[in-house]
């Protein structure tokens, strides 16, 4: 989208008519520029000047939609230490791929698959057995689409680790009523 593709037919002593006109900058000539909004198949009819012999050919211009991110949730995820969390990015486009990144305080870097992270190349990042040192980590997702389309980067979301917990379990007790 937003780009054009030159369509060319060649031959000496031939006039050319292109159709449909949708998305074309002209409908006659050896070269026309196509910029359709959706995938379109164009037909060119060549007519030999002088003897009116005709020939047709078709060409398809494929329109790939670039990635557009509509949301990343939750914005702030608070989890108890040792717990699990997920972040989900929602995007539209053609042939989408995903890559999650983390900023632990030194800038964003690519996350690789492996504990505590899984699904790092999907729309849902999973984090398990979260350590207290991960509090305030920020996450974002890079969404790429079909070849030639720009990538999109989500906003960042943050992880807060609640380290308040019971470190010493209470012992069972027995008491007598009324005493």
């Amino acid at each position: 989208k937003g780009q054009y593709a030159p369509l060319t037919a060649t031959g000496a002593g031939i006039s050319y008519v292109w159709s449909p006109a949708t998305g074309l900058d002209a409908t006659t000539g050896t070269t026309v520029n196509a910029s359709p909004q959706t995938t379109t198949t164009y037909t060119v009819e060549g007519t030999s000047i002088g003897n009116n012999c005709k020939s047709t050919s078709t060409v398809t211009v494929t329109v790939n939609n670039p990635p557009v991110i509509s949301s990343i949730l939750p914005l702030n995820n608070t989890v108890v230490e040792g717990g699990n969390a997920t972040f989900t990015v929602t995007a539209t486009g053609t042939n989408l791929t995903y890559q999650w990144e983390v900023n632990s305080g030194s800038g964003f870097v690519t996350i690789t698959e492996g504990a505590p992270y899984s699904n790092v190349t999907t729309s849902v990042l999973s984090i398990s057995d979260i350590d207290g040192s991960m509090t305030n980590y920020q996450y974002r997702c890079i969404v790429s689409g079909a070849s030639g389309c720009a990538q999109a980067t989500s906003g960042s979301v943050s992880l807060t680790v609640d380290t308040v917990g019971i470190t010493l379990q209470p012992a069972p007790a027995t008491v007598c009523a009324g005493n």
Side-chain angles (χ1 to χ4, degrees):
K1 287 192 170 185
Q3 298 174 328
Y4 73 91
L7 308 178
T8 302
T10 59
I14 300 174
S15 66
Y16 297 98
V17 177
W18 297 83
S19 64
T22 305
L24 295 178
D25 66 346
T27 57
T28 60
T30 57
T31 300
V32 297
N33 292 313
S35 184
Q37 294 298 306
T38 59
T39 298
T40 303
T41 298
Y42 292 100
T43 300
V44 60
E45 181 179 79
T47 303
S48 176
I49 298 170
N51 65 13
N52 274 348
C53 289
K54 297 181 186 271
S55 178
T56 61
S57 186
T58 60
V59 62
T60 300
V61 176
T62 302
V63 177
N64 291 319
N65 295 308
V68 175
I69 296 172
S70 55
S71 69
I72 182 168
L73 296 172
L75 294 179
N76 299 299
N77 203 342
T78 301
V79 182
V80 174
E81 187 171 23
N84 302 322
T86 60
F87 290 106
T88 302
V89 65
T90 303
T92 58
T94 304
N95 298 332
L96 297 181
T97 61
Y98 304 87
Q99 179 60 64
W100 287 90
E101 296 182 333
V102 61
N103 178 354
S104 61
S106 302
F108 281 98
V109 295
T110 299
I111 301 173
T112 56
E113 192 77 22
Y117 300 110
S118 59
N119 304 318
V120 301
T121 58
T122 70
S123 62
V124 180
L125 173 66
S126 297
I127 312 168
S128 59
D129 195 25
I130 295 172
D131 184 82
S133 66
M134 297 171 75
T135 199
N136 297 322
Y137 277 21
Q138 294 181 323
Y139 297 89
R140 70 180 183 187
C141 190
I142 308 297
V143 183
S144 300
S147 178
C149 292
Q151 63 185 23
T153 302
S154 72
S156 61
V157 292
S158 64
L159 178 68
T160 302
V161 181
D162 184 352
T163 56
V164 176
I166 299 172
T167 56
L168 178 63
Q169 295 298 321
T174 303
V175 296
C176 292
N179 288 340

